[in-house]
Amino acid sequence: MNLAHGEGRVGVLDIGSNSIRLVIFESHGRVSLPIFNEKALCGLGAELHSTGRLSKRGRSLAADNIARFMEIAQKMELEHFHIFATAAVRESADGASFAKEFKETFGQPMRVLSGDEEARLSALGVISAFPRADGIVCDLGGGSLELVDVKEGRVRNQTSLPVGSLRFGSFDELNEDEVRNVIDEELTKISWIDSLQDRRLFAIGGAWRSLARLHMDACNYPLKIVHGYSVEASDLLSFLKQLYPINISTKGDNDSEWHIVPATRAEQIPLAALILARILILGKGDEIMFSASGLREGYLFNRLDIESKNIDPLVMSCNDVASESERFFLKNWEIEDWVAAFFPCFSKRHRRLLTASCIIRDFAWSDHPSYRGEQAFLRILSFPSLGLTHQDRVFLALVVLARYRGNIKFAESTQCLQLISLEQQNLAHRIGLVLRLGITISGGIAGVLKQIEVKHHLDIITITYPRHLATAKGHVVERRLKQLEQLLGNRVVLRSQ
């Protein structure tokens, strides 16, 4: 059944080969924030490679944690509750009995996803976060590796391989060649593996998210958000080679070098690094982007109706934020058209970011005037929104910073400027100043800006307003006009008719 946006709380219990996670979202919609998100590393598939059965210790840990999760879900008064299992339950000899026992204990069925289902839903999770995603989606779990070719937001080819972070037992320098050969053998079975060449790889999975955190820490990266973090393949490969076959499975909780990775996850880092390296080398990908949106998000996205799926998650998130902080009657489309008139050659990406910035142009108005720009910048950097790369976050944050401050310089912004080019910094600054001028001229009043005409002729921009329009005059308007003129390097003429 396909659902419309916004129907009640929804929960997802994901019983994976390595971890079991319960996520409860505030609603079943295009953009839903989790109000509860907890995982337990149980290792159900830890013995699958040796016995073909679920781990006894894993089953014991799973029983306690699933009971806890089921009780929490029951008390949350969910509108919908989805329970599914992946590779360990799917492939183990006692998986069917595990699923049967679950139903007898809790009175609800557990859906066991096929490999193809798991692959497709993981890809839909990426597509839900990055509309029109283009590249190869790779989801590394404890028991399997899903690879999906997506083009312009559509699934093309998909496969599921028996290559997971728990599949090989111990991994060290003694069996590195053997493990590498098994990984390569599985990857070369994919007839379309060369589809990755010179394209982006979307990396999903807890072990790979830990790799991203380690890489961020190693290069002193200023933005500590895994989702949307991108790295050139050549840069990441040189880093990955430092992680295998080093045995960090014996790390202690106090080892400063790996302090951002829990000991339970650190055991899987060398193998996860080797798997990712082999995909990049054999597929010849040119970039990796890490996604926090995967199987669970794809499962819910798949259940939305077409209209809801087509909503831009960034625009929707911005509308949700702005709806809680509106103070003026100036329409979003009016200020967007005003800004766009100054930049007639916007790319699709910049037009989308302009739309977003115009929606949240005033969301920090209730903060202290001395800190509005800074607070807006920091909040946008940590915005809980899908559909944003790190470069997009910085660009959007700089636009709103310039809208409030008139400039883009302060301590925190300086650290993040390295993430985008000087050209992009200057464009964000210019958009912010045009936005600032438009808000000033309109006085926040609806209908004012649509009476004003902006024209370009050679190096002159002429802003023409009706003679009766008093809001287009005054000291503040003149000051902000001069500031914009200096930044643009063009003459800007404001005149009445």
Side-chain angles (χ1 to χ4, degrees), residues 135-136 149 156-157 191-199 283:
I136 305 298
D149 181 4
R156 298 201 299 185
N157 297 301
S191 61
W192 46 270
I193 188 67
D194 58 353
S195 297
L196 177 56
Q197 185 168 347
D198 299 327
R199 295 175 73 199

Side-chain angles (χ1 to χ4, degrees), residues 184-354:
D184 288 358
E185 182 180 350
E186 291 295 334
L187 289 174
T188 52
K189 290 178 182 177
I190 305 173
S191 61
W192 46 270
I193 188 67
D194 58 353
S195 297
L196 177 56
Q197 185 168 347
D198 299 327
R199 295 175 73 199
R200 173 180 286 171
L201 183 154
F202 294 93
I204 308 171
W208 282 347
R209 287 194 295 273
S210 292
L211 280 177
R213 293 187 185 96
L214 287 171
H215 188 264
M216 288 176 173
D217 190 63
C219 62
N220 209 16
Y221 192 75
L223 192 56
K224 306 302 182 185
I225 298 173
V226 169
H227 184 71
Y229 179 54
S230 59
V231 191
E232 293 292 326
S234 56
D235 292 341
L236 189 64
L237 276 170
S238 61
F239 175 75
L240 294 176
K241 290 175 183 177
Q242 302 174 42
L243 300 180
Y244 61 84
I246 299 170
N247 185 4
I248 61 171
S249 61
T250 57
K251 79 171 273 296
D253 290 332
N254 296 323
D255 290 353
S256 59
E257 187 177 359
W258 306 98
H259 68 282
I260 57 175
V261 179
T264 50
R265 182 65 79 183
E267 297 174 0
Q268 301 161 20
I269 292 297
L271 182 57
L274 179 60
I275 293 171
L276 183 53
R278 299 313 298 169
I279 295 172
L280 290 172
I281 292 170
L282 294 177
K284 300 178 182 177
D286 71 346
E287 182 193 22
I288 302 88
M289 178 172 286
F290 294 89
S291 174
S293 183
L295 176 60
R296 291 175 292 276
E297 292 75 16
Y299 191 97
L300 296 182
F301 181 75
N302 188 51
R303 293 173 58 82
L304 290 174
D305 59 31
I306 295 298
E307 183 179 356
S308 298
K309 287 178 180 176
N310 288 334
I311 297 172
D312 187 328
L314 172 60
V315 172
M316 186 164 209
S317 296
C318 290
N319 277 321
D320 288 343
V321 170
S323 66
E324 301 173 359
S325 57
E326 288 180 335
R327 61 169 171 161
F328 292 137
F329 298 104
L330 175 61
K331 304 297 184 185
N332 296 334
W333 64 265
E334 289 184 66
I335 189 69
E336 183 177 344
D337 286 350
W338 156 265
V339 177
F342 284 80
F343 306 96
C345 298
F346 262 152
S347 67
K348 288 183 179 179
R349 170 179 175 253
H350 288 126
R351 186 62 191 238
R352 177 173 178 260
L353 292 174
L354 171 61

Side-chain angles (χ1 to χ4, degrees), residues 339 343 346 354 357 395 399 427-435:
V339 177
F343 306 96
F346 262 152
L354 171 61
S357 63
F395 188 92
V399 170
L427 178 58
H429 193 178
R430 293 197 297 270
I431 293 172
L433 289 194
V434 175
L435 190 56

